[in-house]
Amino acid sequence: MDGPWEGSADVDAYARGLAEYLLICERDDVDPVTAGRLHVAAFVKDLSTRPSRRGANVVALDSGAGPANATL
């Protein structure tokens, strides 16, 4: 991809997020084009219950599970 987004970490992160969402849709037999609010909410809930990528030993109020609130 050429332009200001070339090599952007944001684009990489969005691509990973989209790929993960599409995998969840496939797993749950949901058409991502017609997915509704309930499907998206289930995906966000799934994200919020996963172990933190920062590790369980990070000392912070929100440590332990899911991505940061700003990510959601």
Side-chain angles (χ1 to χ4, degrees):
M1 175 170 24
D2 293 333
W5 294 101
E6 184 175 0
S8 169
D10 291 338
V11 172
D12 292 340
Y14 286 126
R16 285 191 307 273
L18 177 60
E20 189 166 6
Y21 177 69
L22 293 174
L23 284 172
I24 297 291
C25 285
E26 184 178 343
R27 178 194 75 188
D28 295 343
D29 197 30
V30 173
D31 180 357
V33 175
T34 60
R37 289 182 179 191
L38 291 176
H39 299 111
V40 174
F43 176 65
V44 172
K45 182 177 181 181
D46 182 67
L47 289 176
S48 67
T49 60
R50 296 178 185 179
S52 175
R53 293 178 64 183
R54 294 176 284 169
N57 294 327
V58 175
V59 178
L61 293 176
D62 66 344
S63 65
N69 287 338
T71 303
L72 298 175

